[in-house]
Amino acid sequence: MGITEKGPIKIILKYIAHNEHGNASNETIMEQPELSFFFWKHGGRESGCHTGIIETRVGNMRKDVPPENRLFRRVTVTKLDVPEGIEDLACEISALSPTPQNARLIKDGMAQCFPLHNWLLKTGKDDRLGRILTTFPHLLAYQGRMIQQAFDMLKPNRNQNHELEKYLRAGIILDKDSWNNVQDRDIKGLLRIFKALTNRGIKRKATNERMQPDELIASPVIRWIRLTDDETDIEALNRHASRDDIQPHIVCVGDLYRRGPYHIICEGFIVPCGEASLDVVDVFFKMFDVLGVSVPPLLRNLHSLISSNVFNSLDNPCSQTAQNLARRIEESI
């Protein structure tokens, strides 16, 4: 907190002669009030906070201000308690095979265990993702439906602003030239929204993969994996997911720009999401909150735009660019 030129500060400033660096001159030090010792007007700059011992003094005085009278208050950390016996239930649920017959039992059991999931999200950052997936391995199953359920429980008071499909279709009209070869309309709309959200100042890591220009631009969001000779889908996905330098993104197994089975790659884990592009986009952007994974820098604007304007799980987009684009899309819906 800086010090403004009010009250006693005005008196101090009258007694201080400043040289070109903003320090008090030696000739006037003896004439200055006691509290102005080593006082530095504007911290040596043309404007701004005054600094020096007087600032330290004011800082100490702030400690005596009652908490209820302070303009800034530290957030009180709420202690989370895990209900007794819930870990045993989570262990029982995790032991079930993710078959269609067990889907209802797993779904209901994971809903009952949500307090434990929430506790894992909010306690400790070391290997948080690993701990969550060890406790709740079925988050990777059922084409991401358990991620969607956990997201709804994590954000219980939200009312979805728009249908995701309508929002992505509105993105198509943002650009008439890019990704015309992309077969799926919703993926095409997503990529055009991504392109409209410029990411200035964020460096892309160099890659040894051979990609076409549009394919390279789309790679932070989605990549198409081509199978090599005698390679299965699972082998190709495991090969791709095992790379150390890879950020979370969507993967489509098949020919470039064509529809196919969609998956999500996240820190070595794979979430199969079927062939519905809307489902994989929905699960992908909800995954970050559910698994406690950081959003990659190149996806932050896109994530905040969808979280704010589609999921209604974020108050405002994080950047002015995202807010401006949100207004453009709102006008076209």
Side-chain angles (χ1 to χ4, degrees):
M1 185 179 81
I3 303 175
T4 57
E5 298 181 15
K6 295 181 180 179
I9 306 302
K10 285 186 177 181
I11 300 174
I12 294 173
L13 292 176
K14 287 181 180 179
Y15 282 87
I16 299 178
H18 298 274
N19 60 23
E20 59 182 354
H21 300 295
N23 294 311
S25 62
N26 294 330
E27 292 81 3
T28 59
I29 285 179
M30 299 304 296
E31 302 176 9
Q32 297 170 19
E34 183 179 355
L35 285 179
S36 67
F37 183 54
F38 288 146
F39 186 72
W40 201 8
K41 184 178 180 181
H42 300 312
R45 300 180 178 87
E46 293 183 0
S47 62
C49 301
H50 306 309
T51 60
I53 286 182
I54 191 169
E55 171 69 6
T56 304
R57 169 63 178 158
V58 172
N60 291 332
M61 292 171 65
R62 282 198 295 265
K63 298 177 183 178
D64 299 328
V65 178
E68 62 272 13
N69 293 338
R70 297 178 185 177
L71 295 179
F72 171 78
R73 301 178 188 178
R74 296 186 183 278
V75 177
T76 303
V77 179
T78 304
K79 185 178 180 181
L80 295 174
D81 294 321
V82 180
E84 188 175 349
I86 199 170
E87 294 184 54
D88 295 334
L89 176 59
C91 187
E92 292 176 13
I93 295 298
S94 67
L96 295 174
S97 298
T99 61
Q101 294 77 14
N102 289 334
R104 171 60 66 178
L105 189 60
I106 290 173
K107 178 178 182 293
D108 294 343
M110 289 185 65
Q112 294 178 50
C113 294
F114 177 73
L116 177 58
H117 184 169
N118 196 31
W119 181 81
L120 290 171
L121 280 171
K122 295 183 178 180
T123 55
K125 295 183 179 180
D126 296 337
D127 195 29
R128 178 166 50 192
L129 176 61
R131 292 167 61 201
I132 290 174
L133 292 181
T134 299
T135 309
F136 302 107
H138 299 308
L139 287 169
L140 303 179
Y142 297 110
Q143 298 187 349
R145 291 188 180 91
M146 299 304 158
I147 290 177
Q148 292 170 320
Q149 173 182 270
F151 184 83
D152 289 337
M153 299 186 73
L154 196 62
K155 311 286 185 179
N157 298 320
R158 69 184 187 92
N159 293 312
Q160 187 141 325
N161 288 335
H162 297 289
E163 294 179 8
L164 180 60
E165 181 179 14
K166 187 181 293 185
Y167 211 77
L168 296 181
R169 297 289 169 87
I172 295 176
I173 65 175
L174 296 174
D175 188 334
K176 296 181 179 179
D177 301 319
S178 300
W179 295 291
N180 284 325
N181 294 331
V182 172
Q183 186 179 26
D184 190 284
R185 289 188 299 173
D186 297 321
I187 295 296
K188 184 186 298 183
L190 177 67
L191 290 175
R192 288 181 175 178
I193 292 173
F194 172 67
K195 184 179 179 181
L197 292 166
T198 55
N199 290 286
R200 296 176 182 174
I202 302 177
K203 293 184 178 179
R204 290 174 178 255
K205 291 185 178 180
T207 177
N208 295 326
E209 298 178 81
R210 293 181 179 179
M211 295 185 183
Q212 298 179 14
D214 277 354
E215 183 184 5
L216 180 62
I217 295 172
S219 61
V221 181
I222 183 171
R223 300 188 189 189
W224 283 265
I225 296 182
R226 305 166 188 82
L227 301 180
T228 60
D229 295 338
D230 300 325
E231 188 178 38
T232 65
D233 291 13
I234 298 299
E235 290 171 342
L237 286 166
N238 287 333
R239 168 175 54 82
H240 184 72
S242 63
R243 293 170 48 186
D244 295 332
D245 61 338
I246 211 156
Q247 298 274 10
H249 62 279
I250 298 169
V251 163
C252 180
V253 179
D255 294 332
L256 182 62
Y257 301 146
R258 311 304 290 176
R259 291 191 183 96
Y262 293 104
H263 302 75
I264 293 171
I265 303 295
C266 178
E267 298 191 18
F269 297 99
I270 303 171
V271 185
C273 294
E275 297 192 8
S277 58
L278 279 176
D279 289 342
V280 71
V281 173
D282 186 80
V283 173
F284 180 63
F285 287 104
K286 290 177 177 177
M287 170 199 70
F288 295 102
D289 290 303
V290 171
L291 299 184
V293 177
S294 298
V295 181
L298 287 170
L299 293 182
R300 284 174 188 163
N301 279 339
L302 183 59
H303 174 266
S304 68
L305 180 74
I306 291 178
S307 296
S308 175
N309 294 279
V310 179
F311 300 154
N312 196 23
S313 60
L314 189 69
D315 291 337
N316 290 300
C318 62
S319 72
Q320 189 62 48
T321 301
Q323 293 178 35
N324 293 340
L325 183 60
R327 283 192 288 269
R328 286 178 59 191
I329 295 176
E330 287 284 344
E331 292 171 358
S332 64
I333 293 180

